[in-house]
Amino acid sequence: MIDEIPAQERSGRLLRAGLGESDVQSLLRELAAPAAAGFPADSARVGKACRDGRALLACLPARSKRNADEQAAGHALVHLLAEAVWRFFRAYRHQIYDTLTAGRTRALRLEDLARAGADLLPGILPSESELAEESRNMQADKDGLEIHQGLFFGQLLSDREIGLHLCAAMLLPTAAARAALDEFRARGELDLGAVRVQAQGDAGYLYFHHPRYLNAEDDETLAAQETACDLILLHPGLRMGVLRGAPVDHPKYKGRRIFSAGINLTRIYNGKQSYLFYLTRDMGLLNKMFRGLLATDGEGGLVLRPEEPEQTLEKPWVAAVDGFAIGGGCQLLLVMDYVIAESGAYFSLPARKEGIIPGCANLRLPRFMGERMAREAIMFDKTFSVDDADARTLVNEVHPREDMDRALGDCIANALGSGMVSAAGNRKAIRIQTEPMDTFRAYMATYAYEQAFCHLSEQLVHNLERHWNAKERKL
């Protein structure tokens, strides 16, 4: 997605927008300068170029108000900086990662790496205060500070050793879950706001509870969802997890359970949804449901040896789909072991209409329904009714709405009644040929890179206005 602009065009694009010639030429000289003698000098040079480039961007009108020349200049500046940053990360990713993780003796989550990286690389990676300032803009007016985060994680994940270490760090239980485990075991339930988690017999129930937005996912729900997932996996008395939506408030569905409306498009359009959500969700919440929690060596060290079987604490998961599973909701079904759906329910991956990549669906959906059908779902907006034959590759049972509770109870009783001694072993054995960790890492490298440009693209905003009536939606 980086647009490598021919050298002879760079100056002209910027000057036609009315930007100062001396500032433009100074920036282009900084970007054209050869790599210096080492990391400190190159970091300072690229950081200054990024600050100077953003200063020029600030001289332009808001992105949605620019004329054709100003749009061309803004596009050129964003991609010139992206090219320089990409090359910098490629050259120094080992040194950067080892500095941030103390020689890989510390396991840092994505969000912690982003914060620490901003401190280490001022100007190159955005700080929390810079991101907070940009979040005041509508999505249509953002020039893409978060693109540099995508380039950063794309390069880290592209390296096998670094990428696997980062994948492993994201499979550790969160501090919030460890802190809440004793209370959960004692009470048997916790209200985490956007999620309700309950222990019922030997099963742990994770209920999505975001009623105003039809149980959609966003920055405000993700931490609670991952905490609830961790609690179910950590609880020694629970042998399986159950995923279901809580009743919602929407007038059309009031009082009905809804599984998930996918990502909260209202937040995206209004510029409030972070880029890191995409990576954190798939490398944390969804990968934990798929793989479980990573074991440690007893001293907090990571246990991930690519040549050995995965040492994870995992449990099977069942999903009960009421109403619909759209976008991210459909992605969740791809990491479930069993899916029960309400007759009349449907699922879809409307990524084309949104302008983003649907998480790991591109990696996982083809093995469920074949590549031809997966391409139709992802790229041509095919919607599947659970009552149709095409949908049965993702759904194990379909029942009338009034029978869903009974069907779910029967499924859980049947699974638990078998003893489930081999459940974790069978899950690991299936993953050997479907999705080993290194395959996941390589996919996430591409996803991190491409999704950053998609998230900040003009096309995303256009798609939301055209297909979703975004201007009329309120936070």
Side-chain angles (χ1 to χ4, degrees):
M1 294 285 294
I2 292 177
D3 183 4
E4 296 198 10
I5 305 164
Q8 64 271 22
E9 294 184 19
R10 296 177 177 182
S11 178
R13 287 195 191 186
L14 302 182
L15 294 176
R16 282 194 294 272
L19 297 174
E21 183 172 4
S22 62
D23 292 333
V24 167
Q25 297 304 329
S26 175
L27 174 64
L28 294 179
R29 284 193 299 271
E30 289 171 348
L31 294 173
F39 173 72
D42 273 350
S43 175
R45 176 182 61 84
V46 175
K48 183 178 185 306
C50 287
R51 287 189 290 272
D52 291 347
R54 289 173 189 152
L56 286 173
L57 280 168
C59 293
L60 298 172
R63 191 171 68 155
S64 64
K65 307 298 183 184
R66 293 172 189 166
N67 61 33
D69 285 339
E70 291 162 345
Q71 288 175 359
H75 182 275
L77 283 168
V78 168
H79 285 78
L80 285 169
L81 297 182
E83 179 187 350
V85 167
W86 177 250
R87 295 180 187 279
F88 172 77
F89 288 142
R90 178 187 291 162
Y92 294 109
R93 60 189 174 188
H94 286 92
Q95 187 167 347
I96 294 169
Y97 191 73
D98 286 349
T99 299
L100 296 177
T101 61
R104 304 181 202 178
T105 62
R106 301 171 60 206
L108 293 185
R109 288 176 58 88
L110 289 160
E111 58 269 35
D112 298 325
L113 277 172
R115 282 192 292 268
D119 291 337
L120 179 67
L121 305 169
I124 300 175
L125 282 174
S127 66
E128 289 187 295
S129 61
E130 289 171 330
L131 292 172
E133 178 67 24
E134 190 180 51
S135 73
R136 297 176 184 173
N137 297 329
M138 297 289 285
Q139 196 75 3
D141 288 329
K142 290 185 177 183
D143 272 312
L145 279 176
E146 292 169 299
I147 287 175
H148 291 196
Q149 291 182 326
L151 302 177
F152 177 55
F153 288 112
Q155 278 291 351
L156 294 185
L157 289 161
S158 294
D159 182 274
R160 187 170 187 265
E161 292 184 0
I162 293 174
L164 288 174
H165 190 273
L166 179 52
C167 288
M170 290 299 293
L171 288 180
L172 294 174
T174 62
R178 291 195 297 268
L181 181 59
D182 288 343
E183 182 182 4
F184 179 50
R185 293 182 65 182
R187 294 180 52 195
E189 61 180 355
L190 289 178
D191 184 346
L192 302 178
V195 170
R196 309 286 168 79
V197 59
Q198 295 180 349
Q200 298 181 29
D202 291 338
Y205 289 73
L206 190 163
Y207 293 105
F208 299 134
H209 187 257
H210 206 200
R212 182 182 174 190
Y213 296 104
L214 295 173
N215 293 332
E217 299 176 84
D218 54 40
D219 287 326
E220 296 180 349
T221 70
L222 182 57
Q225 291 169 349
E226 188 171 351
T227 297
C229 171
D230 287 354
L231 288 171
I232 290 172
L233 292 172
L234 289 169
H235 194 306
L238 300 180
R239 294 192 287 162
M240 70 184 305
V242 180
L243 206 57
R244 198 174 189 185
V248 299
D249 296 336
H250 191 285
K252 184 176 179 179
Y253 304 99
K254 189 170 181 62
R256 281 188 55 188
R257 290 187 183 276
I258 294 296
F259 188 71
S260 174
I263 194 167
N264 189 335
L265 299 177
T266 303
R267 282 181 61 90
I268 293 180
Y269 185 75
N270 284 274
K272 305 305 182 206
Q273 185 63 25
S274 73
Y275 161 76
L276 279 184
F277 166 89
Y278 301 107
L279 303 190
T280 305
R281 177 181 181 270
D282 278 279
M283 295 182 68
L285 173 66
L286 266 70
N287 210 29
K288 286 176 175 178
M289 290 180 174
F290 187 57
R291 286 190 155 82
L293 299 174
L294 190 69
T296 64
D297 60 9
E299 299 179 357
L302 298 179
V303 177
L304 179 61
R305 301 177 180 89
E307 71 280 2
E308 297 182 6
E310 295 176 7
Q311 301 298 309
T312 49
L313 169 64
E314 58 186 288
K315 298 170 184 178
W317 286 85
V318 174
V321 179
D322 302 278
F324 45 75
I326 299 173
C330 182
Q331 295 164 33
L332 283 162
L333 304 186
L334 304 180
V335 297
M336 295 291 104
D337 297 283
Y338 204 85
V339 177
I340 300 172
E342 170 190 41
S343 181
Y346 65 91
F347 59 86
S348 64
L349 289 163
R352 179 183 64 83
K353 288 185 176 180
E354 296 167 359
I356 56 178
I357 300 170
C360 287
N362 305 56
L363 173 65
R364 294 168 178 156
L365 189 63
R367 64 181 183 244
F368 281 90
M369 57 177 49
E371 185 171 338
R372 181 59 58 204
M373 192 70 72
R375 285 177 181 269
E376 187 173 356
I378 293 168
M379 300 172 67
F380 296 91
D381 197 34
K382 181 176 176 62
T383 296
F384 297 86
S385 168
V386 300
D387 298 294
D388 294 341
D390 288 344
R392 296 307 297 272
T393 56
L394 287 189
V395 178
N396 298 90
E397 299 180 25
V398 178
H399 296 275
R401 186 183 308 167
E402 60 272 18
D403 290 342
M404 283 290 288
D405 291 345
R406 177 196 57 76
L408 181 58
D410 289 347
C411 172
I412 294 169
N414 178 63
L416 295 176
S418 67
M420 304 187 73
V421 174
S422 61
N426 278 317
R427 294 177 102 239
K428 290 180 173 67
I430 290 173
R431 287 199 303 272
I432 291 297
Q433 58 92 20
T434 57
E435 191 184 311
M437 184 77 86
D438 200 41
T439 298
F440 173 73
R441 172 204 60 79
Y443 177 86
M444 289 305 299
T446 296
Y447 179 63
Y449 177 93
E450 297 291 346
Q451 190 77 317
F453 289 98
C454 291
H455 180 63
L456 277 305
S457 71
E458 294 178 2
Q459 189 62 50
L460 179 144
V461 175
H462 173 74
N463 287 351
L464 293 180
E465 291 178 346
R466 178 182 179 186
H467 299 296
W468 195 64
N469 196 25
K471 289 182 178 180
E472 304 301 320
R473 312 278 180 163
K474 303 297 181 183
L475 279 173

